[in-house]
Amino acid sequence: DVKVTQSSRYLVKRTGEKVFLECVQDMDHENMFWYRQDPGLGLRLIYFSYDVKMKEKGDIPEGYSVSREKKERFSLILESASTNQTSMYLCASSYPGGSYEQYFGPGTRLTVT
Amino acid sequence: GENVEQHPSTLSVQEGDSAVIKCTYSDSASNYFPWYKQELGKRPQLIIDIRSNVGEKKDQRIAVTLNKTAKHFSLHITETQPEDSAVYFCAASNAGGTSYGKLTFGQGTILTVHP
């Protein structure tokens, strides 16, 4: 059974703080993704990574960066948190080829005040 | 890039009725179309998917149809039950090659099944 975990379920940060969200998967998946989920907007891709130290921007990368130093861990970084980054953040992983199914983490509800 | 539009945004049905959710996509190179279900407070999970070489796929009470010419695909749920209440997301991908399994999601449909 694939297990994707995220470091926090709920997080409250102040405007201007640097925020780290971490995601870990235990299935040796090459691909990992960060999404934000907002009502009426679906899941929007922020960044994804297809291998260690490899990353590509998604559809809404502004204000975010990522780090993937180890295959199982993919971190999302908010360099200077702003109130418009208040959202649900979901991490996912998948194995290249085969089913392409993405396995999601439980999500982190981030509030920036 | 790919753009996926999903309708309706909310859908309310009586238990036992059928529910249909529709999506359109823009990139003719997309060839993989999954549907995810997200129950309240839980993570999205894949419920069914279809590839572009197939027109229809069924799994018990759920089915997905694909019209490549019109670039639209639909999720059909028959004999709905209260446990079908959730948010449903469609997605599209140009699976394989350098896409790395990247998905473009629709906006989501909140399905409510009334007992």
Side-chain angles (χ1 to χ4, degrees):
Chain A
D1 230 15
V2 177
K3 191 172 181 183
V4 182
T5 58
Q6 294 182 227
S7 49
S8 306
R9 290 302 304 271
Y10 300 93
L11 208 52
V12 180
K13 295 292 182 180
R14 293 196 181 276
T15 301
E17 278 193 84
K18 192 168 186 176
V19 181
F20 294 87
L21 303 182
E22 294 208 320
C23 175
V24 177
Q25 50 92 6
D26 68 355
M27 280 301 289
D28 204 35
H29 284 170
E30 272 81 4
N31 301 335
M32 296 188 76
F33 309 84
W34 274 107
Y35 297 92
R36 63 177 283 174
Q37 180 176 11
D38 300 288
L41 297 177
L43 301 168
R44 293 181 292 166
L45 183 65
I46 304 170
Y47 266 96
F48 68 101
S49 168
Y50 52 91
D51 203 348
V52 175
K53 296 187 190 265
M54 305 303 285
K55 59 189 179 186
E56 283 200 16
K57 293 180 181 179
D59 299 318
I60 52 164
E62 297 77 20
Y64 304 94
S65 63
V66 291
S67 172
R68 191 157 180 210
E69 297 296 320
K70 292 185 178 181
K71 192 175 187 179
E72 67 271 18
R73 189 178 300 269
F74 190 35
S75 301
L76 180 69
I77 303 155
L78 286 67
E79 297 292 342
S80 176
S82 64
T83 55
N84 62 12
Q85 292 178 310
T86 292
S87 187
M88 171 67 82
Y89 290 88
L90 287 163
C91 171
S93 72
S94 73
Y95 184 73
S99 73
Y100 298 103
E101 178 177 359
Q102 290 192 12
Y103 296 86
F104 284 85
T108 296
R109 172 73 65 185
L110 173 67
T111 302
V112 183
T113 62
Chain B
E2 176 65 275
N3 182 52
V4 178
E5 297 287 332
Q6 181 173 348
H7 298 282
S9 57
T10 61
L11 181 58
S12 183
V13 300
Q14 290 296 127
E15 183 176 0
D17 287 350
S18 295
V20 180
I21 302 170
K22 298 182 179 181
C23 290
T24 59
Y25 62 99
S26 62
D27 188 351
S28 56
S30 289
N31 56 16
Y32 173 65
F33 307 92
W35 286 86
Y36 284 77
K37 175 184 181 183
Q38 185 179 28
E39 297 177 6
L40 189 63
K42 297 193 176 178
R43 67 193 76 189
Q45 290 190 298
L46 179 71
I47 55 171
I48 194 166
D49 57 16
I50 191 168
R51 295 179 189 267
S52 59
N53 58 350
V54 176
E56 183 175 0
K57 184 176 179 181
K58 287 183 180 179
D59 183 3
Q60 299 184 333
R61 294 186 299 106
I62 61 174
V64 58
T65 59
L66 171 65
N67 183 327
K68 284 189 295 182
T69 303
K71 295 202 193 96
H72 68 70
F73 57 112
S74 301
L75 178 71
H76 303 253
I77 306 174
T78 58
E79 299 172 19
T80 53
Q81 301 167 5
E83 51 265 38
D84 295 327
S85 295
V87 181
Y88 291 82
F89 295 99
C90 64
S93 173
N94 178 9
T98 58
S99 73
Y100 306 110
K102 188 174 68 166
L103 296 174
T104 301
F105 284 89
Q107 296 85 352
T109 296
I110 302 171
L111 173 64
T112 304
V113 181
H114 299 282

